[in-house]
Amino acid sequence: MGTFVEVTSFDKKAASIVFAEVKRIENLLSKYNSESEVSRLNNIGKLTVSPETFYIIKKSKEFWQASNGAFDITVAPLVELWGFRDKKYYVPQEEEIKNTLNLVGSDKIILHDSDNMIEFETLGTKIDLGAIAKGYAVDCAVNKLKKAGIKSCLINAGGQIYCLGDKFGQPWKVAIQDPQKDGFIDYLELKNQAVATSGDYEQYFIKENKRYAHIFNPKTGYPAESDVISVTVIAPDGLTADALATAIFVLGKAKGTELAKKFSEVKVKIIEKNNVQNN
Ligand code: FAD
Ligand code: MG
């Protein structure tokens, strides 16, 4: 998934179970694999997909609705236009952004529940599950671990974390990186919970002294710029944590905090410029 996956457990079977499950999800959902269901759907614009792919696209559309459009998997054409897909970064002209925005909007995703068919209303619309699929992959891995009877494990898939059970009777400790300097700003103590962090300090490029990061505001077509630099979401499952962290990053502190309140058992830690806010 273009990142590392780290597994900590006293059970020797845990790592191979997690790696196999993450690989399976990657094969299904990666836009970097031309054979994946997501790539085939993006190429054709209409495809009957597996129940799992249908589920994650349906959930994505629910987060789009709940976040008032801030979370939107149809940002794929914008991600490509700005060069984040191939890492050939580029600041587009206004006109190019305007044209690309015609392809963006999860209202253009039509879900046919009866036969798991996904259809795009507009030619050229594409989806990118980069903001939600790692969280889902972690959830799938946790289910497999539980089925294998493993009760204690920490999974870190490129910053998407799940703490299964505890560590010798103590909660797992997860540090939150300081986005502005080396070191940690805070740490969490967790059992049977997921954590995801979204920020603009790891994937970005600089052009003429301006920083452009990989999380987009689907309404403007530009990288999201709000009052936050990092959002950490603690949730019962990885999918929710992953999607909400991205959505709240786009919405900013006030609207993001309101969104989080719609979800039970969700906690948010927002780092503003030179400030930590606990909610
Ligand atoms: P998050 O905040 O969770 O997600 C940000 C990403 O979501 C952006 O990079 C963009 O792709 C998308 N996005 C941007 N704005 C929005 C928005 N408003 N709403 C919804 N989504 C948005 N990277 C590689 O370099 N090579 C690979 O082969 C590769 N394979 C991958 C396979 C899978 C299955 C997945 C899930 C990811 C893969 N990636 C790969 C990484 C991916 O492209 C992103 O870098 C990564 O998912 C970003 O995650 P994050 O936790 O940093 O940020
Ligand atoms: Mg995310």
Side-chain angles (χ1 to χ4, degrees), residues 78 82 84 90-92 97 200 203-205 210-218 220-226 249-250:
L78 284 172
W82 284 80
F84 280 96
Y90 165 70
V91 181
I97 293 175
D200 62 2
Q203 288 195 50
Y204 62 87
F205 70 93
K210 193 160 165 41
R211 216 154 77 117
Y212 299 96
H214 69 135
I215 300 175
F216 285 88
N217 181 334
T220 64
Y222 282 84
E225 276 188 69
S226 64
F249 183 86
V250 175

Side-chain angles (χ1 to χ4, degrees), residues 8-42:
T8 309
S9 177
F10 302 103
D11 194 312
K12 283 187 182 154
K13 295 191 299 298
S16 56
I17 291 172
V18 173
F19 294 150
E21 195 59 4
V22 169
K23 192 79 208 157
R24 189 181 70 77
I25 299 299
E26 180 179 27
N27 289 340
L28 208 57
L29 303 178
S30 177
K31 63 177 181 177
Y32 292 89
N33 171 355
S34 62
E35 296 303 312
S36 76
E37 286 192 340
V38 165
S39 294
R40 286 189 286 136
L41 171 62
N42 281 343

Side-chain angles (χ1 to χ4, degrees), residues 97-143:
I97 293 175
K98 225 175 93 192
N99 290 339
T100 307
L101 280 175
N102 290 329
L103 310 172
V104 176
S106 284
D107 51 331
K108 297 177 177 63
I109 306 174
I110 304 161
L111 302 161
H112 299 278
D113 284 272
S114 56
D115 58 357
N116 289 340
M117 185 195 274
I118 311 273
E119 198 177 343
F120 299 145
E121 212 174 66
T122 319
L123 192 70
T125 293
K126 289 182 184 182
I127 57 165
D128 178 333
L129 299 175
I132 192 168
K134 277 190 287 170
Y136 177 69
V138 166
D139 291 340
C140 292
V142 168
N143 282 338

